[in-house]
């Protein structure tokens, strides 16, 4: 309730306008990324910019910060017009931006990262004492604890974000733009960030944060502006709206969450028995892991990022091999499997990073669709690709999986993230897999694409596949999984039935407090 | 001014880019020509005439283009797979060395086998020369730009040593040159009483074959995928290491064949001035062709024409034939800019 009071207070005192966007329009060729968008931001206000991927949020902020030049419209900061196309002018006007991908030098200390660029180039000394005092003062005032002499490369993601925010504050930012700030944070770190935002706005700063997550909007913002297809479709006081309304505004139609039907799990399709993957460091990546996935069953792997999820996914993808223990598919022990062998054995693999590992962006859609089975006689004869057959296959997949693209010959990198993921789904699910490995299947996707991906996974489960979902998004796992196992420091808990474990217990397990396990297992 | 990426580069722009680059290079070099005091238009006129103006000029240009097509293909094939082979010059000499040994009098081979053996041996020698750096790259991450570049000097010194020693022609009057290959090892002439030989047809056929492999076969499919995104290729189950190594064999082999064809088709013996930098010019050819196997043919003929035409021009005017090197180098720089402009659009801010 304290947060709500605070929001009312901030809005009650009608503060002066610090930022005004008027009629911003930006076109990329035939695409209108921003269509006559007008927005105002008040002193002490947190404005959430909500929208699906491709709605134009990032473009708008890039115009504001001078990375892009708007075709029409103007930006006014503190009553003065901002010259377009100049990040320097934006900085000088007091606008600071924290990008989704941090712009810090790993090999420099926190203090150096923050002070770099603020000192004159042609001076042989630098007043590090003063810089340090200023930094510590700012950190103290806004509750942003950092160690000035720590190397940035050694910091956690949450700490790096604090450094980025301090960097903006150090440059006297009065308007802070945060691009998807919680995308990389744990729930606890997100809570800390929202706490910081409150302190900043209490000091009179204004904050714009870009997001496509509903609960953040309610946790942190005073006002929410919803973008869809480049247009500003609505602006609401956060307290006067609700999730359903925002979701509809964002997507343009009502969304129904999928309701998984109850199903009896069948025979096992994947069994890991006592699997260890060493890393060369002191702690193994996977430590004596046991896991079983059965037909008609979705098993979710929950955990904080970097606890062995990638190794587990690579193992089942065939990219790495167990140092000890066995991996069996459909009851058969798999020896030295490579990715091609895994595909042949009926494993559909959805990689964690669809840009880097999933698709070859420079190649055509049809070429990417045959990437896992180009040796198949359906697609080649004597080493010559049957291009007609491959294109026809691509057209079928595009149709069946609702991939929005100009056609089989479109270059893959021109597709949106959601359509790329549909392409990968089409590539793997079209062949009736026995096991689906879905690694972060909806990371970075908008609501519409998320519900599509979830629907497809549930469909595959109904058709008899076993599904292993590895996700750092606990909501996703709770929405899909029949059984949940938690991964921590490379060790995996037994799979816990979804209905027998609480979110609080999962949180404890994710943080490594495995002493709650007996309690859960006994209850189950 | 700022650069914005183009969503789609139309074919017209991709074809116009090299033409524009060449025109820009000619315009820039006109300043140098004018500096010598020679009339620019007449100089360029003589250059074109010297390159294409007569039967002799044309065959000379095509003779010069033959090794350039092969080294251009060598560079294009490797660069497409992101294997930065700067060592085509050394591979060319290794190929020439193998051809001179296999086609020489030392081995007593049946006449019909000599020529194929010399050519295949030359290609193999070139391929194996690049295989070393490729293995080091794949296994240990050693930068192949450094290893292939430095191997050029190793190979040249090796050839130099052999020409002064084991391979030195006893009838060569003390010149550092090898004994000539036997008659059966010579590539037949394509046009009588000119220097143009069957190596040209070989090079043209290889360009077409490589293009077909690239676009139509799973071999080329794997090559393109590995070149564009090795991680995604590995994830999909493609043999990334094998693709790299076979690309190295192919690229080095093409450069080696260029050397073998020069020996068997043109020179007949091996000297240290067999190649006036064909290996390095091959990089320019490949870049001008935007790494397209068929484009390589056009680019190679263009570069060859510049060199041959500049020789003719320098005989008639006080413009040194070094202008050819400057023109080629300027073309490469302009092509890099043109390539950038083809991929991005320039915007006023």
């Amino acid at each position: 309730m304290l947060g709500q009071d605070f929001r009312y207070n901030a809005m009650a005192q009608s503060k002066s306008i610090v930022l005004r966007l008027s009629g911003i329009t930006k076109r990329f060729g035939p695409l209108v990324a921003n269509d006559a968008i007008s927005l105002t931001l008040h002193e002490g206000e947190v404005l959430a910019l909500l929208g699906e991927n491709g709605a134009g949020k990032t473009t708008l902020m890039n115009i504001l910060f001078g990375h892009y030049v708007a075709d029409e419209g103007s930006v006014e900061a503190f009553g003065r017009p901002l010259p377009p196309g100049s990040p320097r002018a934006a900085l000088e006007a007091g606008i600071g931006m924290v990008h989704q991908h941090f712009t810090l030098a790993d090999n420099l200390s926190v203090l150096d990262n923050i002070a770099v660029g603020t000192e004159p180039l042609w001076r042989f000394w630098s007043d590090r004492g003063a810089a340090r005092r200023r930094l510590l003062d700012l950190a103290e005032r806004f509750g942003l604890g950092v160690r000035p002499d720590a190397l940035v490369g050694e910091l956690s993601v949450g700490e790096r974000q604090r450094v980025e925010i301090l960097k903006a504050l150090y440059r006297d930012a009065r308007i802070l733009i945060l691009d998807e700030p919680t995308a990389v944070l744990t729930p606890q770190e997100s809570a800390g960030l929202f706490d910081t935002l409150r302190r900043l706005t209490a000091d009179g700063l204004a904050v714009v944060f870009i997001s496509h997550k509903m609960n953040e909007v309610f946790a942190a913002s005073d006002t929410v502006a919803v973008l869809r297809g480049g247009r500003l479709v609505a602006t609401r006081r956060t307290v006067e709206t609700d999730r359903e309304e925002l979701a509809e505004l964002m997507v343009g139609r009502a969304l129904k969450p999928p309701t998984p039907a109850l199903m009896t799990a069948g025979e096992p399709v994947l069994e890991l028995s006592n699997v260890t993957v060493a890393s060369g460091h002191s702690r193994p990546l996977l430590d004596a892991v046991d896991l079983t996935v059965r037909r008609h069953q979705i098993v979710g792997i929950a955990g904080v990022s970097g606890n062995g999820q990638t190794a587990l996914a690579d193992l089942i993808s065939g990219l790495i091999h167990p140092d000890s223990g066995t991996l069996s598919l459909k009851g058969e022990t798999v020896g030295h499997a490579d990715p091609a062998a895994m595909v042949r054995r009926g494993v559909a693999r959805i990689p964690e990073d669809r840009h880097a590992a999933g698709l070859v962006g420079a190649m055509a859609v049809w070429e990417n669709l045959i990437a896992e089975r180009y040796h198949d006689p359906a697609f080649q004869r004597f080493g010559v690709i049957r291009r007609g057959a491959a294109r026809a296959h691509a057209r079928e997949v595009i149709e069946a999986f609702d991939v929005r693209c100009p056609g089989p010959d479109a270059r893959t990198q021109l597709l949106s993230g959601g359509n790329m993921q549909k392409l990968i789904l089409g590539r793997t699910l079209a062949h009736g897999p026995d096991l689906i490995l879905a690694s972060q299947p909806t990371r970075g996707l908008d609501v519409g694409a998320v519900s599509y991906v979830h629907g497809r996974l549930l469909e595959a489960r109904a058709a008899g596949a076993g599904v292993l979902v590895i996700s750092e998004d606990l909501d996703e796992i709770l929405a899909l999984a029949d059984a949940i196992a938690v991964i921590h420091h490379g060790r995996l808990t037994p799979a816990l039935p979804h209905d027998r474990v609480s979110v609080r217990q999962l949180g404890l397990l994710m943080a490594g407090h495995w002493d709650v396990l007996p309690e859960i297992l006994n209850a189950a | 001014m700022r650069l914005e990426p183009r969503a789609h580069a139309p074919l017209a722009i991709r074809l116009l880019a090299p033409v524009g680059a060449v025109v820009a290079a000619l315009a820039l070099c006109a300043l140098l020509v004018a500096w010598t005091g020679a009339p620019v238009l007449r100089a360029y006129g003589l250059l074109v005439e010297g390159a294409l103006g007569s039967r002799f000029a044309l065959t000379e240009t095509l003779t010069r283009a033959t090794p350039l097509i092969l080294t251009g293909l060598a560079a294009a094939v490797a660069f497409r797979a992101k294997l930065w082979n700067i060592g085509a010059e050394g591979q060319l000499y290794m190929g020439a060395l193998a051809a001179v040994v296999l086609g020489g009098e030392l081995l007593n081979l049946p006449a019909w086998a000599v020529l194929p053996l010399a050519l295949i041996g030359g290609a193999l020698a070139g391929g194996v020369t690049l295989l070393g750096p490729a293995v080091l790259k794949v296994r240990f991450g050693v930068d192949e730009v450094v290893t292939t570049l430095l191997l050029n000097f190793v190979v040249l010194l090796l050839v130099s040593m052999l020409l002064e020693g084991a391979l030195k022609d006893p009838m060569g009057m003390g010149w550092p040159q090898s004994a000539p290959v036997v008659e059966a090892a010579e590539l037949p002439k394509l046009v009588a009483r000119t220097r143009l030989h069957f190596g040209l047809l070989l090079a043209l056929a290889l360009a077409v074959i490589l293009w077909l492999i690239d676009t139509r076969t799973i071999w080329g499919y794997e090559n393109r995928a590995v070149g564009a995104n090795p991680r995604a290729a590995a994830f999909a189950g493609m043999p990334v290491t094998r693709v790299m190594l076979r690309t190295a064999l192919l690229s080095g082999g093409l450069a080696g064949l260029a050397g073998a064809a020069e020996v068997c088709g043109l020179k007949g013996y091996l000297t240290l001035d067999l190649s006036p930098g064909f290996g390095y010019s091959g990089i320019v050819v490949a870049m001008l062709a935007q790494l397209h196997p068929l484009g390589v043919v056009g680019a190679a003929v263009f570069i060859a024409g510049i060199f041959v035409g500049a020789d003719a021009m320098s005989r008639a005017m006080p413009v040194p034939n070094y202008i050819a090197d400057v023109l080629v180098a300027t073309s490469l720089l302009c092509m890099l800019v043109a390539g950038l402009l083809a991929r991005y659009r320039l915007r006023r801010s």
Side-chain angles (χ1 to χ4, degrees), chain A residues 64 71 84 126 149 167 187 212 228 275 304 374 438 445 459 476:
Chain A
L64 174 55
D71 297 318
S126 82
D149 298 312
K167 197 166 131 188
H212 60 248
R228 187 175 75 228
V275 167
V304 178
Y374 59 94
L445 298 188
E459 244 171 58
E476 169 163 59

Side-chain angles (χ1 to χ4, degrees), chain A residues 281-477:
Chain A
H281 303 289
S282 51
R283 206 176 74 202
L285 294 171
L286 290 179
D287 190 356
V289 164
D290 292 304
L291 176 68
T292 304
V293 180
R294 299 169 176 278
R295 289 191 186 280
H296 295 297
Q297 185 191 33
I298 297 183
V299 176
I301 305 289
V304 178
S305 144
N307 271 295
Q309 290 96 329
T310 306
L312 183 61
D314 285 353
L315 183 76
I316 299 166
S317 300
L319 293 169
I320 58 173
H321 308 285
D323 291 299
S324 65
T326 55
L327 187 162
S328 318
L329 290 171
K330 291 181 275 181
E332 262 176 68
T333 303
V334 178
H336 201 75
D338 54 33
M342 284 304 200
V343 172
R344 274 199 304 278
R345 285 168 183 268
V347 183
R349 305 157 312 141
I350 300 167
E352 180 178 337
D353 189 336
R354 65 189 81 93
H355 297 274
L359 299 167
V360 181
M363 289 172 87
V365 165
W366 71 267
E367 290 178 302
N368 271 295
L369 281 173
I370 60 167
E372 285 182 347
R373 34 192 98 233
Y374 59 94
H375 282 297
D376 196 316
F379 298 130
Q380 60 97 17
R381 194 184 289 149
F382 310 120
V384 177
I385 294 182
R386 303 173 67 174
R387 305 207 292 179
R391 283 206 178 86
H393 171 70
R395 273 190 288 272
E396 277 166 32
V397 172
I398 288 171
E399 171 81 28
F401 286 80
D402 189 29
V403 183
R404 307 278 165 81
C405 70
D409 287 288
R411 244 189 323 153
T412 309
Q413 66 202 22
L414 299 176
L415 270 58
S416 74
N419 281 313
M420 284 190 185
Q421 196 70 327
K422 285 179 182 173
L423 211 58
I424 292 175
L425 289 179
R427 178 167 89 186
T428 57
L429 300 188
H431 303 275
D434 298 304
L435 173 70
I436 298 168
L437 164 72
S439 215
Q440 319 293 351
T442 59
R443 180 187 276 171
L445 298 188
D446 55 61
V447 215
V450 169
S451 88
Y452 183 88
V453 172
H454 286 177
R456 282 287 180 173
L457 292 178
L458 290 169
E459 244 171 58
R461 160 182 176 262
V467 184
L468 183 66
V469 177
I470 303 177
S471 177
E472 281 148 28
D473 183 352
L474 194 54
D475 293 338
E476 169 163 59
I477 288 184

